[in-house]
Amino acid sequence: MSIPLLSTLIFFPILGGLSLLFIARDQTATLRMMALIITLIELLLVLPLFLLFDKTTPVMQFQEHHSWISALNINYSLGIDGISILFVFLTALIMVLSILVSWESISTKVKEFFIAMLILEGAMMGVFLATDFFLFYIFWEAMLIPMFLIIGVWGGPKRIYATVKFFLFTLLGSLLLLVGIILLYINGGQTFDIIKLAGQSYPLKLQLILFWAFFAAFAVKVPMWPVHTWLPDAHTEAPAAGSVILAGVLIKMGAYGFLRFSLPILPDATREMLLPMLILSVIAIVYGAIICLAQTDLKRLIAYSSVSHMGFVTLGLFALNQRGLEGSILQMINHGIITGALFLAIGMIYERTHTREIASYGGLASTMPVFAGFFLLFTLAAVGLPGTNGFIGEFLILLGGFERLPWTAVFAATGLILGAWYMLWLYQRLFFNEVKEEMRGLPELNLREIITLAPMVLLIFWIGLYPNALLSYLHVSVVHLLEQVHGGGVEGSIQSLSLALSP
Amino acid sequence: MSTTVAVNWAAVEPIIPELLLVGIAVLLIILDLFAPRQRQLLPWLTVVGCLAVGVMVLGSRPAVAFGGMFVIDGYAVFFKTLCLTGVVVTTLMSEHFRRISGMHQGEYYSLLVLSAVGMLIMASAGDLMILYLGLELMALPIYALVGLHKTDNRTSEAAIKYFLMGGFASALLLFGMSLLFGLTGTTDIASIARVIEVHALAGNPALAAALGLLIAGFCFKVAVAPFHLWTPDVYEGAPTVVTAFMSVAPKAAAFAVFGRVLFYGLPELQLHWGPILAVLALLTMAVGNITALCQRSLKRMLAYSSVAHAGYALLGLLAGTTQGLAATMSYLFIYLFMNLGAFAILILLATEGNPRETLDDCKGLAARSPIAAALMLVFFFSLIGIPPTAGFIGKFYLLKAAFSAGYILTVVGAVLFSAISAYFYLRVVRYMYMDEGEQNMVFHFSPGMIAALAFCVLGVLGLGIFPGLLFDWAGSAALAG
């Protein structure tokens, strides 16, 4: 590969963001347009990856390798496999949406906002593309700076509390990860190369220590119960674009960390710690769903539903079989799309009513029928209606969980029922009942908003009806990952389950 | 009857840089006295002189002069460059501060340069006598600098406090040195190591006492808890530009002799000083970071942060390995950029008659001056240790060195305390970006200030992204010494 596609993905948005520095502060229309064009080009740049990607091999592709800090054997090395390619796509997509959603909602310090967003995009790309543990950590931490500012400067009334809490939670977790990385470096032959690190075996005791050090960072980011408390605050107070990025990409990074580091590098510890992880996942599913029922704030409800949905993701992950893992990765993409869409929709309605109180809404279906239609689709996808993408992911996860420990699937299924309850109840409270006085005469969605939401609907049905489009990228990489975890013999049959699912 | 004394000029060669600096210091006084209208020459001469000396230092070849008393090796060159950089950046910031605070004494630059001479001698000290000589030569001008701002009551208090504490620390050091001399019969640092090894003195209780006294003395100088109590008061009372200088250059010079004595003089005692320093480092990070949490004055907060960072820098020393020493050296260099940068912004905040040193004065800075706020953001994220700034990579190197040497709990402690430190640094960022402040403030960026800030921010970001060069230099310097 002669063209450094992956480096371009990282540095193009960063340089693009810096180019906004030269635009006058009051030219907000130009600034917005530039940010949109940059994210669209970035999305286009992902396309060649998909077209040129070789689905038959689990090795890293499009590799780039440069020596960086020779004193510490740190390299600038990038690459993607079947797992990260989906996240790269998700990131590029979510960024376009979040630029669109901040079109009118961001009115102060517009320039700084878009610069922060674009730098954030570059850092997020770096997280998914790095194949050097140290490089990964650089991007992982660097992401905190723009996110801290996005929540803290453009957020809601309690933004400062929320952003400081977010920063401190993630920083503390990440620093323990850093200690883990150093420990791994010293015991793993003085290298940060992920492939090399995964190819060695470590004593169980060391693996367990490392597992918990990694857990500190990844579990906070996911967020797993009981370290999830930053998420509702950050989600609620962040500007619409921030919430979309948080739900769409940021919290996926925790699960990606488990996939990329904990599972392949620490297979024995992962198998050893299976039960606690599954229990935490099930608690997150049921607890998150029950808390949702008690929420009176729109965004907070969606935030807690993320806790519940990410519980599904970690459940599938730690089921450690093919169905569970593929379901889990697919569900992350799905959740990114669905929750992203929900936050987009909530952002649009919030711009009209300026309230997030569920109680002050009612009867929107008669004032904004098009919006009601979109929201219904997103709600059904979140609930996991067959035919939407939410169903495929959750179904695979439940199968995987059942194969591993049947009772986890039983509890997780309860979460599904609770999920249907709170989402449909939310829909009822927002869109039906009698029309509230303040809800009369709200303008219907404009063209820009419809154009923003329409691709989400397409994606929901496309993945829902033809999941193989994404799953086919995963198979080989997931099988390879499972071989690493189980040391050769893969449990369960490796037949393409998606064939049976797609109509 | 007359005897001609044959002077061996060749012997003087290794100390030409120091002699040149002394000459410049004298010239500065003369210029100030006899050409009072040419005051703008003073900072220029200081910068140019330091640069000339810097070129000489960087190009110098390893040598030993005066029978081993004065050593030029990679280690000395590294610290000399570091201290000279500190002096240059401080000088660039000085004119702005002197204009605003009305601190017009011409001796200022001369004192700065004289203390730089002391630092250079410290970096090259191969003998305890030279070490002490350099230490005092560095400290005396700084006592005067701290008290230079005669209209401010706090500075007199700070100067007295610093003088007394500094004298006390020197006394401890001297006592330790005399014990060492009594035990080994030599003041040459390399010979001390040899005597201890040959005569198996490592278990001698008197040697332990000497080690304790030396560590206490050095810890006073680098402001390591529990010997840090003078720091907040002196740092707060001193003129801001002097505080900036003190928190960087003299601290680095003190670390230079600290490392020299421990690594080259007392390597046999590493089993003793390693754990002692580990406890002190943890205590320092705890005291520095936790006390900084409850400060309302930005200047005082930076003083406590400087204490905490001395604790981080100790992590490399206590590891007792070449890699550890290289990590400490690299961190001190990186710390120079980020700390001087943060102080430069603090100086910019001040206006005539109003020092503006509290946290509230940062409120709404982003609206008043986006550039100043963005720079402060970079420096503070570097002080927290977030990539891609140099603060992160430096701290990583330190943690890795201490970890490799087996101080796992110390590293975990360091990591937890740096998470705590994030809170008070972030509070300033929060005030700058997320609060409203008074709008009617105008910022004057003088050319010197622009140069200093550009240098610092380039250092922080450049070393953050490409630290390889610095690490290699520090690594080879630590090996060569």
Side-chain angles (χ1 to χ4, degrees), chain A residues 68-69 109 134 137-138 141-142 152 159-160 167 171 175 178-179 183 185-186, chain B residues 381 387 392-393 396-397 400 403-404 415 419 422 426 430 433-434 465 467 472:
Chain A
W68 182 24
I69 309 171
K109 302 187 184 131
F134 189 83
Y137 188 82
I138 297 255
E141 282 278 89
R159 60 184 190 275
I160 291 171
F167 194 95
L171 182 69
L175 286 171
L178 183 65
V179 178
L183 184 59
Y185 173 84
I186 290 165
Chain B
F381 274 112
F392 164 72
I393 202 98
F396 173 78
Y397 200 10
K400 185 180 156 286
F403 206 109
S404 306
V415 155
L426 282 185
R430 211 177 78 193
Y433 277 90
M434 302 163 198
I465 297 169
D472 289 343

mmCIF file of all heavy atoms in Angstrom, chain A residues 68-69 109 134 137-138 141-142 152 159-160 167 171 175 178-179 183 185-186, chain B residues 381 387 392-393 396-397 400 403-404 415 419 422 426 430 433-434 465 467 472:
data_model
loop_
_atom_site.group_PDB
_atom_site.id
_atom_site.type_symbol
_atom_site.label_atom_id
_atom_site.label_comp_id
_atom_site.label_asym_id
_atom_site.label_seq_id
_atom_site.Cartn_x
_atom_site.Cartn_y
_atom_site.Cartn_z
ATOM 1 N N TRP A 68 9.218 5.844 15.961
ATOM 2 C CA TRP A 68 8.826 7.149 16.501
ATOM 3 C C TRP A 68 9.732 7.556 17.655
ATOM 4 O O TRP A 68 10.481 8.520 17.546
ATOM 5 C CB TRP A 68 7.346 7.095 16.911
ATOM 6 C CG TRP A 68 6.815 8.384 17.433
ATOM 7 C CD1 TRP A 68 7.296 9.627 17.173
ATOM 8 C CD2 TRP A 68 5.719 8.563 18.298
ATOM 9 N NE1 TRP A 68 6.542 10.565 17.824
ATOM 10 C CE2 TRP A 68 5.571 9.943 18.515
ATOM 11 C CE3 TRP A 68 4.815 7.673 18.921
ATOM 12 C CZ2 TRP A 68 4.586 10.461 19.350
ATOM 13 C CZ3 TRP A 68 3.828 8.188 19.729
ATOM 14 C CH2 TRP A 68 3.722 9.577 19.930
ATOM 15 N N ILE A 69 9.670 6.868 18.780
ATOM 16 C CA ILE A 69 10.560 7.190 19.896
ATOM 17 C C ILE A 69 11.434 5.963 20.112
ATOM 18 O O ILE A 69 11.039 5.023 20.801
ATOM 19 C CB ILE A 69 9.765 7.521 21.167
ATOM 20 C CG1 ILE A 69 8.708 8.578 20.869
ATOM 21 C CG2 ILE A 69 10.678 8.006 22.269
ATOM 22 C CD1 ILE A 69 7.754 8.784 22.014
ATOM 23 N N LYS A 109 -19.298 31.032 20.074
ATOM 24 C CA LYS A 109 -17.960 30.467 19.844
ATOM 25 C C LYS A 109 -18.016 29.353 18.798
ATOM 26 O O LYS A 109 -17.499 28.259 18.990
ATOM 27 C CB LYS A 109 -17.379 29.927 21.150
ATOM 28 C CG LYS A 109 -17.269 30.965 22.232
ATOM 29 C CD LYS A 109 -16.524 30.407 23.439
ATOM 30 C CE LYS A 109 -16.484 31.389 24.564
ATOM 31 N NZ LYS A 109 -16.864 30.838 25.843
ATOM 32 N N PHE A 134 1.047 2.172 22.811
ATOM 33 C CA PHE A 134 1.343 3.509 23.302
ATOM 34 C C PHE A 134 0.660 4.576 22.451
ATOM 35 O O PHE A 134 0.088 5.530 22.958
ATOM 36 C CB PHE A 134 2.860 3.723 23.304
ATOM 37 C CG PHE A 134 3.277 4.972 23.987
ATOM 38 C CD1 PHE A 134 3.407 5.009 25.353
ATOM 39 C CD2 PHE A 134 3.524 6.128 23.269
ATOM 40 C CE1 PHE A 134 3.775 6.168 25.998
ATOM 41 C CE2 PHE A 134 3.893 7.289 23.907
ATOM 42 C CZ PHE A 134 4.022 7.307 25.276
ATOM 43 N N TYR A 137 -2.831 4.770 23.354
ATOM 44 C CA TYR A 137 -3.053 5.517 24.595
ATOM 45 C C TYR A 137 -2.988 7.024 24.358
ATOM 46 O O TYR A 137 -3.756 7.776 24.946
ATOM 47 C CB TYR A 137 -2.023 5.092 25.645
ATOM 48 C CG TYR A 137 -2.310 5.690 26.999
ATOM 49 C CD1 TYR A 137 -3.233 5.106 27.837
ATOM 50 C CD2 TYR A 137 -1.701 6.867 27.413
ATOM 51 C CE1 TYR A 137 -3.546 5.658 29.054
ATOM 52 C CE2 TYR A 137 -1.999 7.431 28.637
ATOM 53 C CZ TYR A 137 -2.916 6.812 29.446
ATOM 54 O OH TYR A 137 -3.226 7.374 30.650
ATOM 55 N N ILE A 138 -2.062 7.452 23.494
ATOM 56 C CA ILE A 138 -1.944 8.876 23.171
ATOM 57 C C ILE A 138 -3.279 9.401 22.650
ATOM 58 O O ILE A 138 -3.811 10.406 23.124
ATOM 59 C CB ILE A 138 -0.856 9.098 22.108
ATOM 60 C CG1 ILE A 138 0.484 8.677 22.627
ATOM 61 C CG2 ILE A 138 -0.882 10.532 21.598
ATOM 62 C CD1 ILE A 138 1.398 9.776 22.997
ATOM 63 N N GLU A 141 -6.166 9.386 25.274
ATOM 64 C CA GLU A 141 -6.132 10.456 26.254
ATOM 65 C C GLU A 141 -6.348 11.820 25.590
ATOM 66 O O GLU A 141 -7.003 12.688 26.148
ATOM 67 C CB GLU A 141 -4.780 10.461 26.962
ATOM 68 C CG GLU A 141 -4.623 9.411 28.005
ATOM 69 C CD GLU A 141 -5.239 9.820 29.315
ATOM 70 O OE1 GLU A 141 -6.434 9.530 29.489
ATOM 71 O OE2 GLU A 141 -4.546 10.408 30.150
ATOM 72 N N ALA A 142 -5.777 11.960 24.390
ATOM 73 C CA ALA A 142 -5.864 13.256 23.715
ATOM 74 C C ALA A 142 -7.317 13.622 23.442
ATOM 75 O O ALA A 142 -7.683 14.796 23.422
ATOM 76 C CB ALA A 142 -5.071 13.220 22.411
ATOM 77 N N GLY A 152 -18.054 21.226 28.423
ATOM 78 C CA GLY A 152 -17.956 22.298 29.415
ATOM 79 C C GLY A 152 -18.308 23.673 28.870
ATOM 80 O O GLY A 152 -18.780 24.531 29.605
ATOM 81 N N ARG A 159 -23.260 22.030 33.202
ATOM 82 C CA ARG A 159 -22.241 21.462 32.343
ATOM 83 C C ARG A 159 -20.900 21.301 33.037
ATOM 84 O O ARG A 159 -20.179 20.338 32.779
ATOM 85 C CB ARG A 159 -22.084 22.329 31.106
ATOM 86 C CG ARG A 159 -21.674 23.752 31.411
ATOM 87 C CD ARG A 159 -21.637 24.582 30.154
ATOM 88 N NE ARG A 159 -21.032 25.863 30.388
ATOM 89 C CZ ARG A 159 -21.692 26.908 30.854
ATOM 90 N NH1 ARG A 159 -22.986 26.817 31.122
ATOM 91 N NH2 ARG A 159 -21.072 28.056 31.064
ATOM 92 N N ILE A 160 -20.577 22.242 33.940
ATOM 93 C CA ILE A 160 -19.241 22.208 34.511
ATOM 94 C C ILE A 160 -19.070 21.003 35.415
ATOM 95 O O ILE A 160 -18.087 20.271 35.343
ATOM 96 C CB ILE A 160 -18.949 23.537 35.228
ATOM 97 C CG1 ILE A 160 -18.826 24.630 34.164
ATOM 98 C CG2 ILE A 160 -17.684 23.461 36.044
ATOM 99 C CD1 ILE A 160 -18.742 26.007 34.695
ATOM 100 N N PHE A 167 -14.271 14.036 33.025
ATOM 101 C CA PHE A 167 -12.821 14.072 32.849
ATOM 102 C C PHE A 167 -12.122 13.258 33.935
ATOM 103 O O PHE A 167 -11.246 12.441 33.655
ATOM 104 C CB PHE A 167 -12.340 15.523 32.876
ATOM 105 C CG PHE A 167 -10.941 15.706 32.374
ATOM 106 C CD1 PHE A 167 -10.719 16.053 31.062
ATOM 107 C CD2 PHE A 167 -9.858 15.532 33.206
ATOM 108 C CE1 PHE A 167 -9.436 16.214 30.584
ATOM 109 C CE2 PHE A 167 -8.570 15.691 32.734
ATOM 110 C CZ PHE A 167 -8.366 16.033 31.422
ATOM 111 N N LEU A 171 -10.015 9.972 33.356
ATOM 112 C CA LEU A 171 -8.574 10.132 33.559
ATOM 113 C C LEU A 171 -8.060 9.100 34.561
ATOM 114 O O LEU A 171 -7.038 8.460 34.348
ATOM 115 C CB LEU A 171 -8.254 11.547 34.050
ATOM 116 C CG LEU A 171 -6.763 11.799 34.243
ATOM 117 C CD1 LEU A 171 -6.057 11.830 32.904
ATOM 118 C CD2 LEU A 171 -6.506 13.088 34.974
ATOM 119 N N LEU A 175 -5.277 6.352 33.679
ATOM 120 C CA LEU A 175 -3.942 6.323 34.282
ATOM 121 C C LEU A 175 -3.631 4.930 34.806
ATOM 122 O O LEU A 175 -2.491 4.473 34.734
ATOM 123 C CB LEU A 175 -3.854 7.366 35.398
ATOM 124 C CG LEU A 175 -3.757 8.802 34.878
ATOM 125 C CD1 LEU A 175 -3.900 9.793 36.005
ATOM 126 C CD2 LEU A 175 -2.427 9.009 34.182
ATOM 127 N N LEU A 178 -2.484 3.073 32.020
ATOM 128 C CA LEU A 178 -1.109 3.423 31.697
ATOM 129 C C LEU A 178 -0.129 2.582 32.507
ATOM 130 O O LEU A 178 0.859 2.052 31.980
ATOM 131 C CB LEU A 178 -0.879 4.914 31.963
ATOM 132 C CG LEU A 178 0.491 5.451 31.601
ATOM 133 C CD1 LEU A 178 0.714 5.368 30.118
ATOM 134 C CD2 LEU A 178 0.654 6.879 32.071
ATOM 135 N N VAL A 179 -0.419 2.437 33.814
ATOM 136 C CA VAL A 179 0.436 1.591 34.644
ATOM 137 C C VAL A 179 0.428 0.169 34.094
ATOM 138 O O VAL A 179 1.468 -0.499 34.005
ATOM 139 C CB VAL A 179 -0.046 1.617 36.110
ATOM 140 C CG1 VAL A 179 0.807 0.705 36.948
ATOM 141 C CG2 VAL A 179 0.006 3.017 36.663
ATOM 142 N N LEU A 183 3.546 -2.121 32.776
ATOM 143 C CA LEU A 183 3.776 -3.467 33.311
ATOM 144 C C LEU A 183 3.861 -4.478 32.172
ATOM 145 O O LEU A 183 4.733 -5.359 32.154
ATOM 146 C CB LEU A 183 2.630 -3.821 34.262
ATOM 147 C CG LEU A 183 2.717 -5.139 35.017
ATOM 148 C CD1 LEU A 183 3.969 -5.183 35.854
ATOM 149 C CD2 LEU A 183 1.501 -5.329 35.896
ATOM 150 N N TYR A 185 4.641 -3.843 29.052
ATOM 151 C CA TYR A 185 5.844 -3.541 28.276
ATOM 152 C C TYR A 185 7.058 -4.222 28.891
ATOM 153 O O TYR A 185 7.875 -4.820 28.189
ATOM 154 C CB TYR A 185 6.032 -2.031 28.235
ATOM 155 C CG TYR A 185 7.312 -1.532 27.614
ATOM 156 C CD1 TYR A 185 7.428 -1.386 26.245
ATOM 157 C CD2 TYR A 185 8.390 -1.177 28.407
ATOM 158 C CE1 TYR A 185 8.581 -0.910 25.669
ATOM 159 C CE2 TYR A 185 9.555 -0.707 27.844
ATOM 160 C CZ TYR A 185 9.648 -0.561 26.481
ATOM 161 O OH TYR A 185 10.806 -0.081 25.925
ATOM 162 N N ILE A 186 7.142 -4.148 30.215
ATOM 163 C CA ILE A 186 8.316 -4.708 30.879
ATOM 164 C C ILE A 186 8.299 -6.235 30.826
ATOM 165 O O ILE A 186 9.325 -6.878 30.646
ATOM 166 C CB ILE A 186 8.384 -4.180 32.323
ATOM 167 C CG1 ILE A 186 8.743 -2.700 32.294
ATOM 168 C CG2 ILE A 186 9.395 -4.953 33.143
ATOM 169 C CD1 ILE A 186 8.505 -2.003 33.581
ATOM 170 N N PHE B 381 -2.719 21.451 30.400
ATOM 171 C CA PHE B 381 -2.922 20.042 30.059
ATOM 172 C C PHE B 381 -1.580 19.318 30.074
ATOM 173 O O PHE B 381 -1.516 18.140 30.392
ATOM 174 C CB PHE B 381 -3.630 19.885 28.724
ATOM 175 C CG PHE B 381 -5.131 19.941 28.848
ATOM 176 C CD1 PHE B 381 -5.862 20.981 28.327
ATOM 177 C CD2 PHE B 381 -5.800 18.942 29.536
ATOM 178 C CE1 PHE B 381 -7.242 21.031 28.467
ATOM 179 C CE2 PHE B 381 -7.177 18.983 29.676
ATOM 180 C CZ PHE B 381 -7.901 20.029 29.145
ATOM 181 N N PRO B 387 -1.652 13.617 26.752
ATOM 182 C CA PRO B 387 -1.072 13.713 25.412
ATOM 183 C C PRO B 387 -1.927 14.607 24.534
ATOM 184 O O PRO B 387 -3.104 14.786 24.834
ATOM 185 C CB PRO B 387 -1.105 12.264 24.911
ATOM 186 C CG PRO B 387 -2.102 11.554 25.728
ATOM 187 C CD PRO B 387 -2.196 12.295 27.026
ATOM 188 N N PHE B 392 2.980 14.738 29.233
ATOM 189 C CA PHE B 392 2.584 13.336 29.282
ATOM 190 C C PHE B 392 3.775 12.427 29.032
ATOM 191 O O PHE B 392 4.052 11.510 29.790
ATOM 192 C CB PHE B 392 1.490 13.046 28.256
ATOM 193 C CG PHE B 392 1.317 11.583 27.986
ATOM 194 C CD1 PHE B 392 0.728 10.777 28.947
ATOM 195 C CD2 PHE B 392 1.776 11.001 26.830
ATOM 196 C CE1 PHE B 392 0.593 9.423 28.736
ATOM 197 C CE2 PHE B 392 1.646 9.653 26.604
ATOM 198 C CZ PHE B 392 1.050 8.857 27.563
ATOM 199 N N ILE B 393 4.487 12.712 27.963
ATOM 200 C CA ILE B 393 5.550 11.792 27.555
ATOM 201 C C ILE B 393 6.662 11.781 28.607
ATOM 202 O O ILE B 393 7.238 10.750 28.912
ATOM 203 C CB ILE B 393 6.047 12.149 26.146
ATOM 204 C CG1 ILE B 393 6.712 10.960 25.495
ATOM 205 C CG2 ILE B 393 6.941 13.317 26.126
ATOM 206 C CD1 ILE B 393 5.794 10.247 24.575
ATOM 207 N N PHE B 396 5.437 9.804 31.507
ATOM 208 C CA PHE B 396 5.431 8.384 31.137
ATOM 209 C C PHE B 396 6.820 7.786 31.296
ATOM 210 O O PHE B 396 6.985 6.695 31.859
ATOM 211 C CB PHE B 396 4.957 8.228 29.695
ATOM 212 C CG PHE B 396 5.064 6.828 29.174
ATOM 213 C CD1 PHE B 396 4.124 5.883 29.529
ATOM 214 C CD2 PHE B 396 6.110 6.452 28.362
ATOM 215 C CE1 PHE B 396 4.225 4.582 29.071
ATOM 216 C CE2 PHE B 396 6.220 5.153 27.903
ATOM 217 C CZ PHE B 396 5.277 4.217 28.252
ATOM 218 N N TYR B 397 7.818 8.516 30.829
ATOM 219 C CA TYR B 397 9.195 8.043 30.916
ATOM 220 C C TYR B 397 9.587 7.829 32.385
ATOM 221 O O TYR B 397 10.177 6.802 32.745
ATOM 222 C CB TYR B 397 10.105 9.072 30.243
ATOM 223 C CG TYR B 397 11.457 8.581 29.811
ATOM 224 C CD1 TYR B 397 11.781 7.238 29.824
ATOM 225 C CD2 TYR B 397 12.423 9.478 29.370
ATOM 226 C CE1 TYR B 397 13.018 6.804 29.414
ATOM 227 C CE2 TYR B 397 13.669 9.051 28.956
ATOM 228 C CZ TYR B 397 13.960 7.705 28.987
ATOM 229 O OH TYR B 397 15.204 7.275 28.590
ATOM 230 N N LYS B 400 7.778 4.821 33.843
ATOM 231 C CA LYS B 400 8.330 3.585 33.324
ATOM 232 C C LYS B 400 9.659 3.264 34.009
ATOM 233 O O LYS B 400 9.911 2.110 34.365
ATOM 234 C CB LYS B 400 8.537 3.723 31.826
ATOM 235 C CG LYS B 400 8.998 2.455 31.179
ATOM 236 C CD LYS B 400 9.194 2.656 29.693
ATOM 237 C CE LYS B 400 10.160 1.640 29.149
ATOM 238 N NZ LYS B 400 11.547 1.882 29.508
ATOM 239 N N PHE B 403 9.003 2.141 37.509
ATOM 240 C CA PHE B 403 8.355 0.832 37.456
ATOM 241 C C PHE B 403 9.377 -0.265 37.177
ATOM 242 O O PHE B 403 9.398 -1.298 37.844
ATOM 243 C CB PHE B 403 7.296 0.857 36.352
ATOM 244 C CG PHE B 403 6.185 -0.109 36.564
ATOM 245 C CD1 PHE B 403 4.922 0.350 36.909
ATOM 246 C CD2 PHE B 403 6.381 -1.472 36.435
ATOM 247 C CE1 PHE B 403 3.891 -0.542 37.116
ATOM 248 C CE2 PHE B 403 5.353 -2.365 36.647
ATOM 249 C CZ PHE B 403 4.104 -1.900 36.994
ATOM 250 N N SER B 404 10.250 -0.003 36.207
ATOM 251 C CA SER B 404 11.264 -1.003 35.865
ATOM 252 C C SER B 404 12.158 -1.311 37.047
ATOM 253 O O SER B 404 12.657 -2.420 37.186
ATOM 254 C CB SER B 404 12.140 -0.513 34.709
ATOM 255 O OG SER B 404 11.362 -0.133 33.623
ATOM 256 N N VAL B 415 0.411 7.988 39.959
ATOM 257 C CA VAL B 415 -0.675 8.044 38.992
ATOM 258 C C VAL B 415 -1.959 8.572 39.655
ATOM 259 O O VAL B 415 -2.662 9.433 39.106
ATOM 260 C CB VAL B 415 -0.862 6.622 38.421
ATOM 261 C CG1 VAL B 415 -2.256 6.427 37.925
ATOM 262 C CG2 VAL B 415 0.130 6.375 37.317
ATOM 263 N N ALA B 419 -3.996 12.131 38.946
ATOM 264 C CA ALA B 419 -5.433 12.247 38.670
ATOM 265 C C ALA B 419 -6.054 13.328 39.559
ATOM 266 O O ALA B 419 -6.903 14.111 39.118
ATOM 267 C CB ALA B 419 -6.129 10.916 38.894
ATOM 268 N N ALA B 422 -5.396 16.794 38.322
ATOM 269 C CA ALA B 422 -6.207 17.246 37.190
ATOM 270 C C ALA B 422 -7.284 18.209 37.659
ATOM 271 O O ALA B 422 -7.626 19.157 36.967
ATOM 272 C CB ALA B 422 -6.843 16.043 36.493
ATOM 273 N N LEU B 426 -7.686 21.793 35.986
ATOM 274 C CA LEU B 426 -8.911 21.940 35.191
ATOM 275 C C LEU B 426 -9.754 23.097 35.679
ATOM 276 O O LEU B 426 -10.464 23.720 34.908
ATOM 277 C CB LEU B 426 -9.749 20.668 35.278
ATOM 278 C CG LEU B 426 -9.308 19.502 34.423
ATOM 279 C CD1 LEU B 426 -10.303 18.372 34.543
ATOM 280 C CD2 LEU B 426 -9.184 19.932 32.987
ATOM 281 N N ARG B 430 -11.492 25.719 33.409
ATOM 282 C CA ARG B 430 -12.930 25.951 33.546
ATOM 283 C C ARG B 430 -13.212 27.444 33.677
ATOM 284 O O ARG B 430 -14.084 27.982 33.000
ATOM 285 C CB ARG B 430 -13.367 25.234 34.815
ATOM 286 C CG ARG B 430 -14.737 24.710 34.820
ATOM 287 C CD ARG B 430 -14.932 23.983 36.122
ATOM 288 N NE ARG B 430 -15.164 24.922 37.203
ATOM 289 C CZ ARG B 430 -15.112 24.591 38.483
ATOM 290 N NH1 ARG B 430 -14.805 23.369 38.838
ATOM 291 N NH2 ARG B 430 -15.365 25.466 39.414
ATOM 292 N N TYR B 433 -12.556 29.248 30.296
ATOM 293 C CA TYR B 433 -13.408 28.972 29.147
ATOM 294 C C TYR B 433 -14.889 28.975 29.477
ATOM 295 O O TYR B 433 -15.713 29.171 28.601
ATOM 296 C CB TYR B 433 -13.037 27.621 28.521
ATOM 297 C CG TYR B 433 -11.873 27.731 27.593
ATOM 298 C CD1 TYR B 433 -10.574 27.560 28.052
ATOM 299 C CD2 TYR B 433 -12.071 28.041 26.263
ATOM 300 C CE1 TYR B 433 -9.496 27.689 27.208
ATOM 301 C CE2 TYR B 433 -11.001 28.168 25.404
ATOM 302 C CZ TYR B 433 -9.715 27.990 25.872
ATOM 303 O OH TYR B 433 -8.661 28.119 25.022
ATOM 304 N N MET B 434 -15.251 28.710 30.734
ATOM 305 C CA MET B 434 -16.659 28.455 30.998
ATOM 306 C C MET B 434 -17.280 29.473 31.946
ATOM 307 O O MET B 434 -18.406 29.299 32.384
ATOM 308 C CB MET B 434 -16.827 27.033 31.546
ATOM 309 C CG MET B 434 -16.280 26.011 30.571
ATOM 310 S SD MET B 434 -15.993 24.412 31.292
ATOM 311 C CE MET B 434 -14.892 23.684 30.086
ATOM 312 N N ILE B 465 5.277 15.616 20.687
ATOM 313 C CA ILE B 465 5.062 14.773 19.507
ATOM 314 C C ILE B 465 6.357 14.106 19.068
ATOM 315 O O ILE B 465 6.358 12.962 18.633
ATOM 316 C CB ILE B 465 4.442 15.619 18.382
ATOM 317 C CG1 ILE B 465 3.072 16.129 18.853
ATOM 318 C CG2 ILE B 465 4.261 14.803 17.118
ATOM 319 C CD1 ILE B 465 2.453 17.177 17.983
ATOM 320 N N PRO B 467 9.518 13.433 21.003
ATOM 321 C CA PRO B 467 10.409 13.479 22.171
ATOM 322 C C PRO B 467 11.696 12.697 21.955
ATOM 323 O O PRO B 467 12.581 12.731 22.799
ATOM 324 C CB PRO B 467 9.564 12.830 23.264
ATOM 325 C CG PRO B 467 8.670 11.897 22.537
ATOM 326 C CD PRO B 467 8.466 12.435 21.144
ATOM 327 N N ASP B 472 16.992 10.706 23.602
ATOM 328 C CA ASP B 472 18.295 10.161 23.210
ATOM 329 C C ASP B 472 19.424 10.973 23.833
ATOM 330 O O ASP B 472 20.404 10.416 24.336
ATOM 331 C CB ASP B 472 18.436 10.179 21.678
ATOM 332 C CG ASP B 472 17.528 9.154 21.027
ATOM 333 O OD1 ASP B 472 17.073 8.249 21.757
ATOM 334 O OD2 ASP B 472 17.266 9.257 19.825
#
